[in-house]
Amino acid sequence: MGSDMRSDTVRGSTDYERILTATQRLANALIPDHPLFMTFHDGQVHDPLGGGAYAFQNDIVGPMLLALLEDEAAHDSVATRDELMSSNGLPTRPIVIDAGLQPNNSPHLGTLVVFCYAFSIAKGIRDRMRVLEASGKDIPPSVTVLITFVDTAPVKDKEMEVEGIQYQRSHRDVQDALSTYMADYEEVVRYLSMWADVPVNVAFQADFFSNSSMPVLLNYMILHHETLGRQLSPKYGSLALRSACPVPGCGLAEKHGRLNEYRADNNGQDGIITFHCPHHGPHAVRLSCPAETARLEANAPTRNLLRSMTHLLDTTTHHIRVTGADYAGVYQEMFLYRPLAAWSAITGLARGRTPHILYAPLIVDWSGAKLSKSLYIRDGAYEFMKQQGMDGFCSYARLRERFGGDGSEGLRKIWDEVQRWMADPKKLFRSFSVAYFHAIILRDVGS
Ligand SMILES: [Zn+2]
């Protein structure tokens, strides 16, 4: 009996293998120019524990609230950790959940998941504080989401190289570039704010560089630009602070800051950064002049560092950053935590504090690589997804078309999926493939 079952299993496997191989051959024969490779699976979804999934298996909101409480206690010196835990206390400062984007395409699935996570964690924190409020005495603070547009991202086809130096033009400096996809982002943010019942604010890079702490932080960067340049840019060794050429109609900014000149004045209080335009020569930004500082731009690692510094210096508001899991790990350790520790040790600022950052699950293709919007928009990648009706994952505009109606249905399915992750937080510590999303979101949609 037992040996019969074994031979059946072996025969069944062999048949499967033959059928699947023949199916693949058939697909190759029918579509010889662009063969599609089949990935067969058993439809079983596993959420294995380990690392973050194990540690936060039951809850992510509670540990985050405790961390915020500890920040307040450390600053106000009011309580020990034990006192905090027994007080049934709530944070008193407003809580801002912070996420950002480059508006260079209609949002793709990775960006939509980050946004859904940001609004979900805001909702989760707000709801948990309401429960604690009902059982205690404290009135919870407000919870809002802040979406920051990186309108200084380079515009496609507006980049150039002169004598080995790269220059770019930013979305905010090219007419119509910014407005092309703004409506899609605004629509997504409006829906998510409504479903989470969490207010949202929107900001741009000029708002970011107008932060009241920015002159102090930028003066620190001027004094330490050589060290920071090496730390933040392994490729070029220079600090990628930029400013677009102010000559009307030009707007070129040197991408990597390799020609920048830094001058620290007045004991490091009123520094000046001089930038270089290949057509119009040098132009300067004085940190003592807010209108000029607001024109500054920074690449992702420099922006990331400055953002966390402003968050740590703000003792009136709690900030929680939500970003994609592709930034977790060595990227943050090298480009964020090491420079933050050095800054705190040198200046005495934000002593003992670290930023609060949550990493949204990565959306990956069949090979495990992240679904890349830049490959999609720049190189026309993922043609196979179009052939399978999955191009909605590369562009919210396409997802909206796919579902018709008021456009919210596809987004709503992604939102509902992220709610399932929030209810079972181990799912927040893994990646999800486009094939998985295809199964749960597009399966029932008529073509
Ligand atoms: Zn110029």
Side-chain angles (χ1 to χ4, degrees), residues 245 250 277 280:
C245 174
C250 181
C277 172
H280 306 103

Side-chain angles (χ1 to χ4, degrees), residues 363-381:
I363 307 302
V364 298
D365 67 13
W366 71 273
S367 78
K370 80 160 186 170
L371 186 67
S372 163
K373 72 172 181 178
S374 53
L375 284 182
Y376 174 70
I377 55 177
R378 197 181 55 217
D379 303 331

Side-chain angles (χ1 to χ4, degrees), residues 4-20:
D4 286 344
M5 281 181 69
R6 266 201 305 279
S7 67
D8 283 345
T9 306
V10 170
R11 193 162 53 242
S13 302
T14 308
D15 287 348
Y16 255 131
E17 200 176 332
R18 280 189 194 139
I19 292 166
L20 302 182

Side-chain angles (χ1 to χ4, degrees), residues 222-270:
I222 286 180
L223 287 171
H224 301 278
H225 73 90
E226 289 184 3
T227 307
L228 285 168
R230 284 191 297 271
Q231 280 184 322
L232 297 180
S233 175
K235 281 185 195 163
Y236 299 100
S238 55
L239 192 58
L241 283 168
R242 310 170 189 136
S243 186
C245 174
V247 173
C250 181
L252 278 175
E254 197 230 310
K255 190 176 180 71
H256 303 294
R258 295 160 74 186
L259 302 180
N260 291 358
E261 292 169 37
Y262 297 91
R263 205 168 83 211
D265 272 12
N266 187 19
N267 297 320
Q269 296 301 303
D270 296 317

